[in-house]
Amino acid sequence: MRALSRVIYALPRAIDTDMMREQRLSLIEYLAMANLSEAPDRKLRMSDLAAAVEMSLSGMTRLVTRLESQGLIQRVKSSRDARGSNAILTDEGFARLEAAWPSNLAALRRHFLDHLTGLDLQRLAAALRDIAT
Amino acid sequence: MRALSRVIYALPRAIDTDMMREQRLSLIEYLAMANLSEAPDRKLRMSDLAAAVEMSLSGMTRLVTRLESQGLIQRVKSSRDARGSNAILTDEGFARLEAAWPSNLAALRRHFLDHLTGLDLQRLAAALRDIAT
DNA sequence: CCGGAAAAATTGTCTTTGCAACCAGTATAG
DNA sequence: CTATACTGGTTGCAAAGACAATTTTTCCGG
C-alpha cells in the first residue's frame, strides 16, 4: 500500500524528468499533442483536449499558449461558435511528436512496464482503460 | 499506452483531491507522516524522509514547515550533527494519521485497485515494491 | 425579439514544487 | 592546526497547475 502510494506520487515526476531531458516535452504536453495528432484535421476544441488528458481547462489554456509559442500548436477561433477555440497540431508539432514517441515509450518501460514481471498485460491494459474513464 | 500515460498523469491528482477534501492532507503529506510513524521514535532526518517519499529535499523542507505550523510534526536539531534536523511526528500528527488512513485506502481503491479485475495482486505488489526502489 | 441562464475560454491569484545558490557545520589532507 | 572539500538543510526564484472571477457568445422561455 505504501509502495503503491509512493509510486503514484513519484512515477509522473520521474517520467516527466526523463522526457524533459530527452525531448523538452513534459508528459502532459506529449499527451495533448498525441491526442491532437489523432483527431480529425489534427484539431480539437480546448475543452475536449482538456478532458482528453484530464487537465483543468485553465491549465490547458496555458499549456497550449506555451506550445503555441514554440510553434508546435496553432490556435484558431471556431467558425461555428465564436466562443470556442480549436487547437491544431502544426506540421512542426507533428514532427516533434514523431521524434518524441520512442522516448516516451522508453520512459514508460524503464520506470514501469519493465518491472511488471509475471502480470497479465492484456488485463492490465483493460484495467487502465477502465481507470482512465 | 495512451491510457497508461493518462492514468500516470491523472491518478495522483485525483487521489490528492479526494484526500484533501476528506482529510485536509495531500498524498505526500500523508506519506511523509506515515513514514515517520513507523520510524524509531517517530523520528527521521530530513534527507531520509525526503528519500523515503522520493521528494526533493527543498520540497520536504517546505512540506515539514507546513505540517509543523499545523502542529503535526516537530523539528528538532540533531544532537550528533549540528547541521542536521530531525522531523518528529507529534501525538496530534499521529492521531491525524490514524483518522486519515481509511480515507487514503478508500481513495486508492476507488481510483485504482477496484479496477484491477482479474490481476494477480500479489505480483502487482511485488512489482510496485520493485518500482519504488 | 428580449432578457436571463449557461457555456467556452482566458486571466488573476495562490499553492506546490524543483533547481540553483547559499549558509553552516564536519571531515580530511598535508 | 589550517585550508579545502563535502554534507545537510534552507531560501530565492521561476514554472506549472488549480480554482474563482471575468468576458464573450450562444441558447431558451415567454
PDB file of all heavy atoms in Angstrom, chain C residues 15-28:
ATOM      1  P    DT C  15      -1.709  30.622  -0.609  1.00  0.00           P
ATOM      2  OP1  DT C  15      -2.346  30.402   0.692  1.00  0.00           O
ATOM      3  OP2  DT C  15      -0.529  31.515  -0.752  1.00  0.00           O
ATOM      4  O5'  DT C  15      -1.335  29.199  -1.224  1.00  0.00           O
ATOM      5  C5'  DT C  15      -2.383  28.325  -1.589  1.00  0.00           C
ATOM      6  C4'  DT C  15      -1.807  27.044  -2.171  1.00  0.00           C
ATOM      7  O4'  DT C  15      -1.349  27.287  -3.521  1.00  0.00           O
ATOM      8  C3'  DT C  15      -0.596  26.501  -1.405  1.00  0.00           C
ATOM      9  O3'  DT C  15      -0.799  25.111  -1.226  1.00  0.00           O
ATOM     10  C2'  DT C  15       0.582  26.822  -2.299  1.00  0.00           C
ATOM     11  C1'  DT C  15      -0.035  26.822  -3.686  1.00  0.00           C
ATOM     12  N1   DT C  15       0.617  27.713  -4.675  1.00  0.00           N
ATOM     13  C2   DT C  15       0.887  27.228  -5.938  1.00  0.00           C
ATOM     14  O2   DT C  15       0.637  26.093  -6.277  1.00  0.00           O
ATOM     15  N3   DT C  15       1.473  28.135  -6.786  1.00  0.00           N
ATOM     16  C4   DT C  15       1.807  29.445  -6.511  1.00  0.00           C
ATOM     17  O4   DT C  15       2.329  30.161  -7.352  1.00  0.00           O
ATOM     18  C5   DT C  15       1.489  29.879  -5.169  1.00  0.00           C
ATOM     19  C7   DT C  15       1.812  31.285  -4.760  1.00  0.00           C
ATOM     20  C6   DT C  15       0.913  29.009  -4.330  1.00  0.00           C
ATOM     21  P    DT C  16       0.210  24.274  -0.341  1.00  0.00           P
ATOM     22  OP1  DT C  16      -0.591  23.250   0.337  1.00  0.00           O
ATOM     23  OP2  DT C  16       1.071  25.205   0.425  1.00  0.00           O
ATOM     24  O5'  DT C  16       1.111  23.550  -1.436  1.00  0.00           O
ATOM     25  C5'  DT C  16       0.478  22.784  -2.440  1.00  0.00           C
ATOM     26  C4'  DT C  16       1.480  22.372  -3.489  1.00  0.00           C
ATOM     27  O4'  DT C  16       1.880  23.524  -4.251  1.00  0.00           O
ATOM     28  C3'  DT C  16       2.782  21.779  -2.928  1.00  0.00           C
ATOM     29  O3'  DT C  16       3.010  20.549  -3.586  1.00  0.00           O
ATOM     30  C2'  DT C  16       3.837  22.831  -3.269  1.00  0.00           C
ATOM     31  C1'  DT C  16       3.258  23.445  -4.519  1.00  0.00           C
ATOM     32  N1   DT C  16       3.716  24.815  -4.859  1.00  0.00           N
ATOM     33  C2   DT C  16       4.115  25.087  -6.160  1.00  0.00           C
ATOM     34  O2   DT C  16       4.117  24.245  -7.039  1.00  0.00           O
ATOM     35  N3   DT C  16       4.498  26.383  -6.376  1.00  0.00           N
ATOM     36  C4   DT C  16       4.530  27.408  -5.457  1.00  0.00           C
ATOM     37  O4   DT C  16       4.896  28.529  -5.782  1.00  0.00           O
ATOM     38  C5   DT C  16       4.098  27.058  -4.127  1.00  0.00           C
ATOM     39  C7   DT C  16       4.088  28.090  -3.054  1.00  0.00           C
ATOM     40  C6   DT C  16       3.718  25.797  -3.893  1.00  0.00           C
ATOM     41  P    DT C  17       3.966  19.472  -3.007  1.00  0.00           P
ATOM     42  OP1  DT C  17       3.420  18.169  -3.397  1.00  0.00           O
ATOM     43  OP2  DT C  17       4.219  19.811  -1.597  1.00  0.00           O
ATOM     44  O5'  DT C  17       5.300  19.718  -3.828  1.00  0.00           O
ATOM     45  C5'  DT C  17       5.300  19.371  -5.208  1.00  0.00           C
ATOM     46  C4'  DT C  17       6.384  20.102  -5.939  1.00  0.00           C
ATOM     47  O4'  DT C  17       6.242  21.514  -5.799  1.00  0.00           O
ATOM     48  C3'  DT C  17       7.798  19.839  -5.436  1.00  0.00           C
ATOM     49  O3'  DT C  17       8.357  18.773  -6.191  1.00  0.00           O
ATOM     50  C2'  DT C  17       8.523  21.167  -5.687  1.00  0.00           C
ATOM     51  C1'  DT C  17       7.450  22.075  -6.255  1.00  0.00           C
ATOM     52  N1   DT C  17       7.533  23.477  -5.779  1.00  0.00           N
ATOM     53  C2   DT C  17       7.919  24.457  -6.665  1.00  0.00           C
ATOM     54  O2   DT C  17       8.223  24.236  -7.828  1.00  0.00           O
ATOM     55  N3   DT C  17       7.979  25.720  -6.138  1.00  0.00           N
ATOM     56  C4   DT C  17       7.677  26.083  -4.840  1.00  0.00           C
ATOM     57  O4   DT C  17       7.756  27.257  -4.471  1.00  0.00           O
ATOM     58  C5   DT C  17       7.268  25.010  -3.966  1.00  0.00           C
ATOM     59  C7   DT C  17       6.909  25.282  -2.538  1.00  0.00           C
ATOM     60  C6   DT C  17       7.219  23.776  -4.472  1.00  0.00           C
ATOM     61  P    DG C  18       9.773  18.166  -5.890  1.00  0.00           P
ATOM     62  OP1  DG C  18       9.689  16.736  -6.238  1.00  0.00           O
ATOM     63  OP2  DG C  18      10.210  18.586  -4.550  1.00  0.00           O
ATOM     64  O5'  DG C  18      10.699  18.900  -6.974  1.00  0.00           O
ATOM     65  C5'  DG C  18      10.307  18.935  -8.354  1.00  0.00           C
ATOM     66  C4'  DG C  18      11.330  19.762  -9.116  1.00  0.00           C
ATOM     67  O4'  DG C  18      11.120  21.158  -8.806  1.00  0.00           O
ATOM     68  C3'  DG C  18      12.776  19.442  -8.746  1.00  0.00           C
ATOM     69  O3'  DG C  18      13.582  19.465  -9.924  1.00  0.00           O
ATOM     70  C2'  DG C  18      13.139  20.538  -7.764  1.00  0.00           C
ATOM     71  C1'  DG C  18      12.297  21.722  -8.252  1.00  0.00           C
ATOM     72  N9   DG C  18      11.898  22.619  -7.167  1.00  0.00           N
ATOM     73  C8   DG C  18      11.381  22.263  -5.953  1.00  0.00           C
ATOM     74  N7   DG C  18      11.108  23.282  -5.180  1.00  0.00           N
ATOM     75  C5   DG C  18      11.476  24.383  -5.932  1.00  0.00           C
ATOM     76  C6   DG C  18      11.418  25.767  -5.619  1.00  0.00           C
ATOM     77  O6   DG C  18      11.020  26.301  -4.592  1.00  0.00           O
ATOM     78  N1   DG C  18      11.898  26.557  -6.675  1.00  0.00           N
ATOM     79  C2   DG C  18      12.364  26.053  -7.864  1.00  0.00           C
ATOM     80  N2   DG C  18      12.786  26.949  -8.749  1.00  0.00           N
ATOM     81  N3   DG C  18      12.417  24.767  -8.173  1.00  0.00           N
ATOM     82  C4   DG C  18      11.963  23.994  -7.165  1.00  0.00           C
ATOM     83  P    DC C  19      15.082  18.962  -9.910  1.00  0.00           P
ATOM     84  OP1  DC C  19      15.223  18.125 -11.109  1.00  0.00           O
ATOM     85  OP2  DC C  19      15.423  18.461  -8.571  1.00  0.00           O
ATOM     86  O5'  DC C  19      15.931  20.303 -10.147  1.00  0.00           O
ATOM     87  C5'  DC C  19      15.649  21.141 -11.254  1.00  0.00           C
ATOM     88  C4'  DC C  19      16.416  22.444 -11.111  1.00  0.00           C
ATOM     89  O4'  DC C  19      15.823  23.249 -10.063  1.00  0.00           O
ATOM     90  C3'  DC C  19      17.895  22.256 -10.736  1.00  0.00           C
ATOM     91  O3'  DC C  19      18.656  23.132 -11.546  1.00  0.00           O
ATOM     92  C2'  DC C  19      17.933  22.656  -9.252  1.00  0.00           C
ATOM     93  C1'  DC C  19      16.839  23.719  -9.194  1.00  0.00           C
ATOM     94  N1   DC C  19      16.209  23.912  -7.860  1.00  0.00           N
ATOM     95  C2   DC C  19      15.934  25.216  -7.422  1.00  0.00           C
ATOM     96  O2   DC C  19      16.250  26.158  -8.153  1.00  0.00           O
ATOM     97  N3   DC C  19      15.344  25.397  -6.216  1.00  0.00           N
ATOM     98  C4   DC C  19      15.015  24.345  -5.468  1.00  0.00           C
ATOM     99  N4   DC C  19      14.426  24.582  -4.294  1.00  0.00           N
ATOM    100  C5   DC C  19      15.281  23.005  -5.893  1.00  0.00           C
ATOM    101  C6   DC C  19      15.872  22.837  -7.083  1.00  0.00           C
ATOM    102  P    DA C  20      20.239  23.017 -11.609  1.00  0.00           P
ATOM    103  OP1  DA C  20      20.619  22.942 -13.031  1.00  0.00           O
ATOM    104  OP2  DA C  20      20.667  21.966 -10.659  1.00  0.00           O
ATOM    105  O5'  DA C  20      20.698  24.432 -11.022  1.00  0.00           O
ATOM    106  C5'  DA C  20      19.918  25.592 -11.301  1.00  0.00           C
ATOM    107  C4'  DA C  20      20.324  26.710 -10.343  1.00  0.00           C
ATOM    108  O4'  DA C  20      19.561  26.623  -9.114  1.00  0.00           O
ATOM    109  C3'  DA C  20      21.795  26.679  -9.931  1.00  0.00           C
ATOM    110  O3'  DA C  20      22.235  28.012  -9.831  1.00  0.00           O
ATOM    111  C2'  DA C  20      21.750  25.958  -8.584  1.00  0.00           C
ATOM    112  C1'  DA C  20      20.452  26.548  -8.007  1.00  0.00           C
ATOM    113  N9   DA C  20      19.803  25.748  -6.971  1.00  0.00           N
ATOM    114  C8   DA C  20      19.678  24.382  -6.922  1.00  0.00           C
ATOM    115  N7   DA C  20      19.029  23.946  -5.865  1.00  0.00           N
ATOM    116  C5   DA C  20      18.697  25.109  -5.174  1.00  0.00           C
ATOM    117  C6   DA C  20      17.994  25.329  -3.982  1.00  0.00           C
ATOM    118  N6   DA C  20      17.489  24.342  -3.229  1.00  0.00           N
ATOM    119  N1   DA C  20      17.839  26.608  -3.574  1.00  0.00           N
ATOM    120  C2   DA C  20      18.356  27.595  -4.333  1.00  0.00           C
ATOM    121  N3   DA C  20      19.024  27.498  -5.482  1.00  0.00           N
ATOM    122  C4   DA C  20      19.163  26.221  -5.853  1.00  0.00           C
ATOM    123  P    DA C  21      23.735  28.392  -9.684  1.00  0.00           P
ATOM    124  OP1  DA C  21      24.059  29.289 -10.811  1.00  0.00           O
ATOM    125  OP2  DA C  21      24.523  27.163  -9.435  1.00  0.00           O
ATOM    126  O5'  DA C  21      23.698  29.264  -8.341  1.00  0.00           O
ATOM    127  C5'  DA C  21      22.721  30.285  -8.231  1.00  0.00           C
ATOM    128  C4'  DA C  21      22.629  30.713  -6.777  1.00  0.00           C
ATOM    129  O4'  DA C  21      21.912  29.714  -6.014  1.00  0.00           O
ATOM    130  C3'  DA C  21      23.999  30.873  -6.105  1.00  0.00           C
ATOM    131  O3'  DA C  21      24.007  32.106  -5.419  1.00  0.00           O
ATOM    132  C2'  DA C  21      24.079  29.662  -5.168  1.00  0.00           C
ATOM    133  C1'  DA C  21      22.614  29.455  -4.809  1.00  0.00           C
ATOM    134  N9   DA C  21      22.273  28.099  -4.363  1.00  0.00           N
ATOM    135  C8   DA C  21      22.623  26.920  -4.969  1.00  0.00           C
ATOM    136  N7   DA C  21      22.174  25.856  -4.350  1.00  0.00           N
ATOM    137  C5   DA C  21      21.482  26.364  -3.265  1.00  0.00           C
ATOM    138  C6   DA C  21      20.774  25.746  -2.221  1.00  0.00           C
ATOM    139  N6   DA C  21      20.638  24.429  -2.099  1.00  0.00           N
ATOM    140  N1   DA C  21      20.197  26.548  -1.302  1.00  0.00           N
ATOM    141  C2   DA C  21      20.333  27.879  -1.411  1.00  0.00           C
ATOM    142  N3   DA C  21      20.973  28.578  -2.360  1.00  0.00           N
ATOM    143  C4   DA C  21      21.532  27.747  -3.267  1.00  0.00           C
ATOM    144  P    DC C  22      25.234  32.605  -4.615  1.00  0.00           P
ATOM    145  OP1  DC C  22      25.202  34.078  -4.634  1.00  0.00           O
ATOM    146  OP2  DC C  22      26.411  31.855  -5.099  1.00  0.00           O
ATOM    147  O5'  DC C  22      24.882  32.128  -3.151  1.00  0.00           O
ATOM    148  C5'  DC C  22      23.638  32.508  -2.603  1.00  0.00           C
ATOM    149  C4'  DC C  22      23.455  31.847  -1.261  1.00  0.00           C
ATOM    150  O4'  DC C  22      23.232  30.439  -1.425  1.00  0.00           O
ATOM    151  C3'  DC C  22      24.662  31.973  -0.315  1.00  0.00           C
ATOM    152  O3'  DC C  22      24.206  32.589   0.865  1.00  0.00           O
ATOM    153  C2'  DC C  22      25.085  30.523  -0.067  1.00  0.00           C
ATOM    154  C1'  DC C  22      23.777  29.792  -0.295  1.00  0.00           C
ATOM    155  N1   DC C  22      23.918  28.348  -0.613  1.00  0.00           N
ATOM    156  C2   DC C  22      23.245  27.410   0.181  1.00  0.00           C
ATOM    157  O2   DC C  22      22.558  27.803   1.117  1.00  0.00           O
ATOM    158  N3   DC C  22      23.360  26.090  -0.113  1.00  0.00           N
ATOM    159  C4   DC C  22      24.120  25.693  -1.148  1.00  0.00           C
ATOM    160  N4   DC C  22      24.198  24.399  -1.399  1.00  0.00           N
ATOM    161  C5   DC C  22      24.805  26.632  -1.959  1.00  0.00           C
ATOM    162  C6   DC C  22      24.688  27.937  -1.666  1.00  0.00           C
ATOM    163  P    DC C  23      25.135  33.302   1.892  1.00  0.00           P
ATOM    164  OP1  DC C  23      24.208  33.687   2.960  1.00  0.00           O
ATOM    165  OP2  DC C  23      26.047  34.268   1.260  1.00  0.00           O
ATOM    166  O5'  DC C  23      26.050  32.115   2.418  1.00  0.00           O
ATOM    167  C5'  DC C  23      26.365  32.087   3.775  1.00  0.00           C
ATOM    168  C4'  DC C  23      25.264  31.445   4.594  1.00  0.00           C
ATOM    169  O4'  DC C  23      24.721  30.312   3.881  1.00  0.00           O
ATOM    170  C3'  DC C  23      25.835  30.935   5.894  1.00  0.00           C
ATOM    171  O3'  DC C  23      25.018  31.312   6.982  1.00  0.00           O
ATOM    172  C2'  DC C  23      25.923  29.435   5.712  1.00  0.00           C
ATOM    173  C1'  DC C  23      24.873  29.130   4.655  1.00  0.00           C
ATOM    174  N1   DC C  23      25.311  28.042   3.739  1.00  0.00           N
ATOM    175  C2   DC C  23      24.914  26.729   3.987  1.00  0.00           C
ATOM    176  O2   DC C  23      24.213  26.496   4.987  1.00  0.00           O
ATOM    177  N3   DC C  23      25.308  25.744   3.146  1.00  0.00           N
ATOM    178  C4   DC C  23      26.061  26.040   2.077  1.00  0.00           C
ATOM    179  N4   DC C  23      26.423  25.040   1.276  1.00  0.00           N
ATOM    180  C5   DC C  23      26.476  27.377   1.811  1.00  0.00           C
ATOM    181  C6   DC C  23      26.090  28.338   2.658  1.00  0.00           C
ATOM    182  P    DA C  24      25.663  31.665   8.362  1.00  0.00           P
ATOM    183  OP1  DA C  24      24.598  32.205   9.242  1.00  0.00           O
ATOM    184  OP2  DA C  24      26.916  32.407   8.120  1.00  0.00           O
ATOM    185  O5'  DA C  24      26.056  30.233   8.941  1.00  0.00           O
ATOM    186  C5'  DA C  24      24.980  29.464   9.402  1.00  0.00           C
ATOM    187  C4'  DA C  24      25.370  28.039   9.496  1.00  0.00           C
ATOM    188  O4'  DA C  24      25.731  27.495   8.218  1.00  0.00           O
ATOM    189  C3'  DA C  24      26.562  27.804  10.422  1.00  0.00           C
ATOM    190  O3'  DA C  24      26.046  27.031  11.480  1.00  0.00           O
ATOM    191  C2'  DA C  24      27.551  27.013   9.577  1.00  0.00           C
ATOM    192  C1'  DA C  24      26.699  26.496   8.444  1.00  0.00           C
ATOM    193  N9   DA C  24      27.328  26.297   7.163  1.00  0.00           N
ATOM    194  C8   DA C  24      27.992  27.207   6.394  1.00  0.00           C
ATOM    195  N7   DA C  24      28.437  26.733   5.259  1.00  0.00           N
ATOM    196  C5   DA C  24      28.044  25.405   5.282  1.00  0.00           C
ATOM    197  C6   DA C  24      28.219  24.350   4.373  1.00  0.00           C
ATOM    198  N6   DA C  24      28.859  24.479   3.204  1.00  0.00           N
ATOM    199  N1   DA C  24      27.701  23.154   4.709  1.00  0.00           N
ATOM    200  C2   DA C  24      27.039  23.027   5.878  1.00  0.00           C
ATOM    201  N3   DA C  24      26.809  23.947   6.814  1.00  0.00           N
ATOM    202  C4   DA C  24      27.352  25.123   6.448  1.00  0.00           C
ATOM    203  P    DG C  25      26.897  26.727  12.775  1.00  0.00           P
ATOM    204  OP1  DG C  25      25.927  26.736  13.889  1.00  0.00           O
ATOM    205  OP2  DG C  25      28.077  27.631  12.729  1.00  0.00           O
ATOM    206  O5'  DG C  25      27.450  25.243  12.606  1.00  0.00           O
ATOM    207  C5'  DG C  25      26.512  24.205  12.415  1.00  0.00           C
ATOM    208  C4'  DG C  25      27.208  23.037  11.781  1.00  0.00           C
ATOM    209  O4'  DG C  25      27.691  23.422  10.484  1.00  0.00           O
ATOM    210  C3'  DG C  25      28.429  22.498  12.549  1.00  0.00           C
ATOM    211  O3'  DG C  25      28.159  21.143  12.831  1.00  0.00           O
ATOM    212  C2'  DG C  25      29.591  22.664  11.574  1.00  0.00           C
ATOM    213  C1'  DG C  25      28.882  22.702  10.243  1.00  0.00           C
ATOM    214  N9   DG C  25      29.563  23.351   9.142  1.00  0.00           N
ATOM    215  C8   DG C  25      29.898  24.680   9.035  1.00  0.00           C
ATOM    216  N7   DG C  25      30.491  24.974   7.896  1.00  0.00           N
ATOM    217  C5   DG C  25      30.556  23.763   7.223  1.00  0.00           C
ATOM    218  C6   DG C  25      31.092  23.454   5.946  1.00  0.00           C
ATOM    219  O6   DG C  25      31.639  24.207   5.138  1.00  0.00           O
ATOM    220  N1   DG C  25      30.941  22.094   5.642  1.00  0.00           N
ATOM    221  C2   DG C  25      30.346  21.167   6.488  1.00  0.00           C
ATOM    222  N2   DG C  25      30.292  19.918   6.032  1.00  0.00           N
ATOM    223  N3   DG C  25      29.839  21.444   7.674  1.00  0.00           N
ATOM    224  C4   DG C  25      29.980  22.750   7.978  1.00  0.00           C
ATOM    225  P    DT C  26      29.170  20.251  13.666  1.00  0.00           P
ATOM    226  OP1  DT C  26      28.365  19.287  14.426  1.00  0.00           O
ATOM    227  OP2  DT C  26      30.129  21.152  14.332  1.00  0.00           O
ATOM    228  O5'  DT C  26      29.938  19.440  12.531  1.00  0.00           O
ATOM    229  C5'  DT C  26      29.196  18.522  11.747  1.00  0.00           C
ATOM    230  C4'  DT C  26      30.118  17.851  10.767  1.00  0.00           C
ATOM    231  O4'  DT C  26      30.666  18.824   9.860  1.00  0.00           O
ATOM    232  C3'  DT C  26      31.303  17.123  11.377  1.00  0.00           C
ATOM    233  O3'  DT C  26      31.289  15.827  10.847  1.00  0.00           O
ATOM    234  C2'  DT C  26      32.518  17.928  10.931  1.00  0.00           C
ATOM    235  C1'  DT C  26      32.010  18.497   9.609  1.00  0.00           C
ATOM    236  N1   DT C  26      32.624  19.745   9.102  1.00  0.00           N
ATOM    237  C2   DT C  26      33.172  19.747   7.837  1.00  0.00           C
ATOM    238  O2   DT C  26      33.216  18.757   7.135  1.00  0.00           O
ATOM    239  N3   DT C  26      33.681  20.957   7.431  1.00  0.00           N
ATOM    240  C4   DT C  26      33.680  22.142   8.145  1.00  0.00           C
ATOM    241  O4   DT C  26      34.154  23.162   7.671  1.00  0.00           O
ATOM    242  C5   DT C  26      33.101  22.076   9.454  1.00  0.00           C
ATOM    243  C7   DT C  26      33.062  23.297  10.309  1.00  0.00           C
ATOM    244  C6   DT C  26      32.600  20.883   9.879  1.00  0.00           C
ATOM    245  P    DA C  27      32.204  14.679  11.402  1.00  0.00           P
ATOM    246  OP1  DA C  27      31.353  13.475  11.535  1.00  0.00           O
ATOM    247  OP2  DA C  27      32.966  15.202  12.549  1.00  0.00           O
ATOM    248  O5'  DA C  27      33.235  14.430  10.212  1.00  0.00           O
ATOM    249  C5'  DA C  27      32.748  14.272   8.892  1.00  0.00           C
ATOM    250  C4'  DA C  27      33.922  14.363   7.935  1.00  0.00           C
ATOM    251  O4'  DA C  27      34.321  15.750   7.797  1.00  0.00           O
ATOM    252  C3'  DA C  27      35.165  13.585   8.323  1.00  0.00           C
ATOM    253  O3'  DA C  27      35.569  12.889   7.167  1.00  0.00           O
ATOM    254  C2'  DA C  27      36.169  14.671   8.731  1.00  0.00           C
ATOM    255  C1'  DA C  27      35.738  15.818   7.832  1.00  0.00           C
ATOM    256  N9   DA C  27      36.021  17.178   8.279  1.00  0.00           N
ATOM    257  C8   DA C  27      35.745  17.737   9.492  1.00  0.00           C
ATOM    258  N7   DA C  27      36.075  19.009   9.590  1.00  0.00           N
ATOM    259  C5   DA C  27      36.605  19.294   8.333  1.00  0.00           C
ATOM    260  C6   DA C  27      37.136  20.488   7.782  1.00  0.00           C
ATOM    261  N6   DA C  27      37.218  21.633   8.456  1.00  0.00           N
ATOM    262  N1   DA C  27      37.583  20.436   6.495  1.00  0.00           N
ATOM    263  C2   DA C  27      37.484  19.286   5.834  1.00  0.00           C
ATOM    264  N3   DA C  27      37.002  18.113   6.242  1.00  0.00           N
ATOM    265  C4   DA C  27      36.580  18.186   7.522  1.00  0.00           C
ATOM    266  P    DT C  28      36.620  11.822   7.149  1.00  0.00           P
ATOM    267  OP1  DT C  28      36.074  10.758   6.290  1.00  0.00           O
ATOM    268  OP2  DT C  28      37.067  11.537   8.531  1.00  0.00           O
ATOM    269  O5'  DT C  28      37.817  12.541   6.380  1.00  0.00           O
ATOM    270  C5'  DT C  28      37.552  13.158   5.119  1.00  0.00           C
ATOM    271  C4'  DT C  28      38.806  13.843   4.609  1.00  0.00           C
ATOM    272  O4'  DT C  28      38.904  15.194   5.146  1.00  0.00           O
ATOM    273  C3'  DT C  28      40.113  13.158   4.990  1.00  0.00           C
ATOM    274  O3'  DT C  28      41.003  13.309   3.898  1.00  0.00           O
ATOM    275  C2'  DT C  28      40.600  13.983   6.186  1.00  0.00           C
ATOM    276  C1'  DT C  28      40.199  15.372   5.712  1.00  0.00           C
ATOM    277  N1   DT C  28      40.085  16.411   6.746  1.00  0.00           N
ATOM    278  C2   DT C  28      40.418  17.705   6.395  1.00  0.00           C
ATOM    279  O2   DT C  28      40.799  18.020   5.297  1.00  0.00           O
ATOM    280  N3   DT C  28      40.273  18.611   7.419  1.00  0.00           N
ATOM    281  C4   DT C  28      39.848  18.370   8.717  1.00  0.00           C
ATOM    282  O4   DT C  28      39.750  19.271   9.527  1.00  0.00           O
ATOM    283  C5   DT C  28      39.524  16.981   8.992  1.00  0.00           C
ATOM    284  C7   DT C  28      39.047  16.601  10.365  1.00  0.00           C
ATOM    285  C6   DT C  28      39.658  16.078   8.009  1.00  0.00           C
TER     286       DT C  28
END
